[in-house]
Amino acid sequence: MKKSELMKHSCPLGKAMSALGSKWKPIIALVIKDRKLRFGELAVRIHVISRKVLTDQLREMETDGLIIREEFKEIPPRVEYSLTEKGLALLPILYMLEEWEAKYQNKELYPEKDCNLLDKEMRQQVKA
C-alpha cells in the first residue's frame, strides 16, 4: 500500500507505519536522539546510507512532524536536525523493538552479527 493510501485511512497504526515506512527513518531517529546534528554528521554516523536517500528521508520525517530542520544563514550554509516532541516520544518504542528482536530472533536463520549500519562509536551511543 502506498503512503498516500495509508494516510487516507484514519487508522492510527496505518498512519504510524506510514511515518516510519522505511528502514532508515527509525535508524535516523535513534542516531539523532536528544541532540542536534548536522547533515554531514548524520551521513558519517550512518555510513551505509547514500546522501540522496538521507536527504529524502529527512524531508519526509520533517513533513511527518518527526524532526525539526533548523537552517542558519551563514557561509557556508549550516543546517541542524533535531527530533520534535513526537520524534522523541518514538525513541522508547524503538528501544522496545530492539529488545523484542533480540529476544525472539531466530539465530539459526539469522546468525547474530554485529550491526554494520552504524559505526562502532555510534552503536555504543545508541545503546546508552
Side-chain angles (χ1 to χ4, degrees):
M1 188 178 283
K2 293 180 182 176
K3 183 176 180 175
S4 59
E5 292 175 35
L6 277 173
M7 291 303 288
K8 290 178 187 175
H9 302 285
S10 61
C11 172
L13 182 59
K15 289 181 180 181
M17 294 309 296
S18 174
L20 293 174
S22 80
K23 65 182 177 184
W24 296 115
K25 291 177 185 178
I27 293 168
I28 293 167
L30 283 172
V31 169
I32 294 175
K33 289 172 54 170
D34 60 350
R35 59 187 165 203
K36 294 181 178 188
L37 289 177
R38 295 175 69 175
F39 180 86
E41 293 172 307
L42 284 168
V44 167
R45 291 170 190 261
I46 312 171
H47 58 87
V48 294
I49 189 172
S50 73
R51 289 182 172 257
K52 181 193 180 326
V53 172
L54 179 58
T55 299
D56 292 344
Q57 296 299 291
L58 288 168
R59 285 181 183 152
E60 287 181 22
M61 290 175 77
E62 184 180 16
T63 300
D64 292 333
L66 296 174
I67 63 168
I68 297 168
R69 180 181 188 271
E70 191 174 0
E71 191 173 335
F72 297 89
K73 304 292 182 193
E74 300 174 350
I75 304 287
R78 178 171 58 115
V79 176
E80 293 180 341
Y81 296 93
S82 58
L83 294 178
T84 62
E85 183 179 340
K86 180 179 178 181
L88 289 169
L90 182 62
L91 292 177
I93 297 165
L94 296 176
Y95 295 140
M96 287 174 47
L97 279 172
E98 283 183 327
E99 291 173 16
W100 171 76
E101 175 55 28
K103 182 176 180 179
Y104 294 107
Q105 69 182 340
N106 186 336
K107 293 182 181 180
E108 293 172 5
L109 289 177
Y110 306 103
E112 193 168 331
K113 293 182 180 177
D114 200 14
C115 179
N116 293 322
L117 293 175
L118 308 174
D119 63 23
K120 288 182 183 179
E121 177 186 334
M122 195 58 229
R123 285 194 300 272
Q124 299 292 337
Q125 292 176 0
V126 167
K127 290 182 180 182

